[in-house]
Amino acid sequence: MKPPSLAHGRSYLAIPGPSVIPDVVLQSMHRAAPNIYAGELVNMMPGLTADLKRVAGTKHHVAMYTGNGHAAWEASLANILAPGDKVLVPATGRFGVGWGETAASLGAEVETIDFGKRSPMDMGRIEELLRADRAHQIKAVLAVHVDTSTSIRNDIAALRRAIDAAGHPALLMADCIASLGCDRFEMDAWGVDVMVSGCQKGLMVPPGMSFVFFNDRAEAARARLPRVSWYWNWTPRAHAEEFFQYHAGTAPTHHLYGLRTALDLIHAEGIENVWSRHAVLARAVWAACEAWSTVGSFAMNVSDPAHRSNAVTSLRLQSPDATALRDWVESQLGLTLGIGLGMATPGDPAWHGFFRLGHMGHVNGQMIMGMLGGIEAGMQALKIAHGPGALDAAATQIAQAQVVSPARSQSA
Ligand SMILES: *Cc1c(COP(=O)(O)O)cnc(C)c1O
């Protein structure tokens, strides 16, 4: 007899974006088309903008686009760069390289420092490079906060200190597409001039909207450009009323309702609590992965916890085991894990030696324990060598973070 499939029931897409969409977000999108010229949707915009800026830690401006993260990459650059301008790209994975490629496609001169796939940016080297640019030709530094391919988290506040230490006027531009609403990020406090993000990762909305946050320094740089193309121009979009009524075409109506609900969830929980939930759940994931890593080829891509993201974890497992494991947990358990993006090219056998876990957005303790349990079952079923005690180690992380205070246990 065939073994029973255990994939029926609610499936779990545990990839680093799109992330799990809360039912309340989906429900808020399930409605008739609203009036885009007046009424509820238009009235909702000022509050939506304010709440989005709170998540980013900025009092400055945000422009919204009907497009994914790639659109925000291009939008941010279109407002800052003229053809021939130079940018510095300190890359720690596929997404850093990709933003640089976008800049090159717009005619920028791109200088990439590649820090490889397993270590964060070396701020000392960046500072040195900026010091050497005495003519201040570098107009912006394009830095990915969490590179979703490698799961490396870079210290953006330290990057600002490095730019300042070099006495360089380059704008600091950060990609927080994977990290916003997951890993702590404070745009104004950290001195970030431009930040890009999307709606389908920590913000828990289906893919289709993206955001460019910018401060007055960035606005001044934009004002010096001879022209900015009509669609990408961020200035009219930063005034929500104008954007949705006249300037940029039809508003992404249902995404706006979804985003409204997602922001309500985030602010009801509190952004500090959202960050610490991600931190605890990430520690549970890391504890399991470290236990698995003690035997066989299983390895975490980033060895130092200080440089790991709380939103995504990139893993190494001898080819073709990673692909076999992903296939098994998806077909047998209804659990979808992420492919190993940017670590090797598809077609290369090494490509089957990487996978990723998304733990961003609408995830809780039982989902994470279920995901880890599914991986454990898959490795047992496929006879993939791995260390023992992973689930115990994960449970311990969660239990330790949730020690109930005496007052609470009495009232409960
Ligand atoms: C997902 C992601 C992108 C690309 O976003 P899309 O919506 O897929 O275009 C860019 N940068 C980072 C860090 C990401 O995680």
Side-chain angles (χ1 to χ4, degrees), residues 16 68-71 73 95 144 146-148 175-178 198 200-201 207:
N68 60 17
H70 281 66
W73 272 352
F95 288 96
V144 177
V146 166
D147 199 301
T148 324
D175 171 344
C176 295
I177 296 173
Q200 81 274 24
K201 298 187 185 180

Side-chain angles (χ1 to χ4, degrees), residues 79-127:
N79 282 278
I80 293 296
L81 300 179
D85 281 347
K86 189 167 174 183
V87 294
L88 182 65
V89 176
T92 56
R94 179 61 215 141
F95 288 96
V97 171
W99 202 10
E101 288 168 350
T102 308
S105 78
L106 292 169
E109 188 191 325
V110 179
E111 178 169 355
T112 304
I113 335 177
D114 192 345
F115 293 104
K117 292 171 179 164
R118 305 195 77 166
S119 36
M121 295 171 191
D122 174 346
M123 301 307 171
R125 264 187 73 196
I126 296 172
E127 185 183 326

Side-chain angles (χ1 to χ4, degrees), residues 282-294 298 300 357 368-369 372-373 376 379 387-395 397:
R283 272 146 197 79
V285 170
W286 304 345
C289 292
E290 280 163 3
W292 285 323
S293 300
T294 56
F298 195 104
M300 298 190 70
L357 311 179
I368 293 299
M369 289 305 295
L372 297 171
E376 173 73 38
M379 287 199 289
L391 299 181
D392 267 355
Q397 286 296 319

Side-chain angles (χ1 to χ4, degrees), residues 62-193:
V62 61
M64 303 187 191
Y65 295 88
T66 308
N68 60 17
H70 281 66
W73 272 352
E74 184 156 341
S76 64
L77 297 167
N79 282 278
I80 293 296
L81 300 179
D85 281 347
K86 189 167 174 183
V87 294
L88 182 65
V89 176
T92 56
R94 179 61 215 141
F95 288 96
V97 171
W99 202 10
E101 288 168 350
T102 308
S105 78
L106 292 169
E109 188 191 325
V110 179
E111 178 169 355
T112 304
I113 335 177
D114 192 345
F115 293 104
K117 292 171 179 164
R118 305 195 77 166
S119 36
M121 295 171 191
D122 174 346
M123 301 307 171
R125 264 187 73 196
I126 296 172
E127 185 183 326
E128 237 170 72
L129 232 140
L130 290 171
R131 263 184 215 287
D133 177 32
R134 293 220 181 78
H136 293 166
Q137 281 179 323
I138 295 169
K139 209 159 168 201
V141 180
L142 312 187
V144 177
H145 183 209
V146 166
D147 199 301
T148 324
S149 61
T150 55
S151 71
I152 292 165
R153 184 174 49 80
N154 291 294
D155 185 344
I156 298 295
L159 178 55
R160 163 50 70 196
R161 291 193 293 274
I163 297 172
D164 290 350
H168 201 291
L171 293 171
L172 172 52
M173 299 176 66
D175 171 344
C176 295
I177 296 173
S179 56
L180 192 68
C182 306
D183 280 281
R184 174 180 292 277
F185 178 81
E186 300 174 67
M187 176 164 167
D188 294 352
W190 294 2
V192 173
D193 299 302

Side-chain angles (χ1 to χ4, degrees), residues 225-378:
L225 290 183
R227 73 181 72 81
V228 178
S229 62
W230 178 270
Y231 189 79
W232 296 131
N233 191 353
W234 68 29
T235 302
R237 286 172 184 266
H239 308 285
E241 229 189 325
E242 195 178 337
F243 163 33
F244 290 114
Q245 289 181 35
Y246 309 113
H247 181 78
T250 309
T253 48
H254 289 65
H255 275 71
L256 291 169
Y257 281 111
L259 181 61
R260 177 63 270 168
T261 304
L263 291 170
D264 287 343
L265 288 177
I266 288 172
H267 291 306
E269 184 178 353
I271 189 68
E272 291 283 343
N273 296 329
V274 170
W275 289 332
S276 53
R277 170 168 53 84
H278 280 83
V280 170
L281 296 177
R283 272 146 197 79
V285 170
W286 304 345
C289 292
E290 280 163 3
W292 285 323
S293 300
T294 56
V295 174
S297 73
F298 195 104
M300 298 190 70
N301 188 53
V302 183
S303 52
D304 184 346
H307 305 309
R308 290 178 193 156
S309 156
N310 289 336
V312 50
T313 298
S314 296
L315 297 161
R316 295 164 172 253
L317 184 60
Q318 190 173 309
S319 175
D321 287 353
T323 297
L325 180 63
R326 280 194 302 103
D327 288 348
W328 192 91
V329 296
E330 181 162 56
S331 64
Q332 302 304 308
L333 305 182
L335 169 66
T336 304
L337 306 178
I339 60 167
L341 200 68
M343 305 300 281
T345 33
D348 176 353
W351 194 80
H352 299 289
F354 302 94
F355 70 114
R356 293 174 303 158
L357 311 179
H359 32 98
M360 50 174 55
H362 196 58
V363 286
N364 60 27
Q366 56 92 5
M367 293 163 78
I368 293 299
M369 289 305 295
M371 172 180 75
L372 297 171
I375 295 170
E376 173 73 38

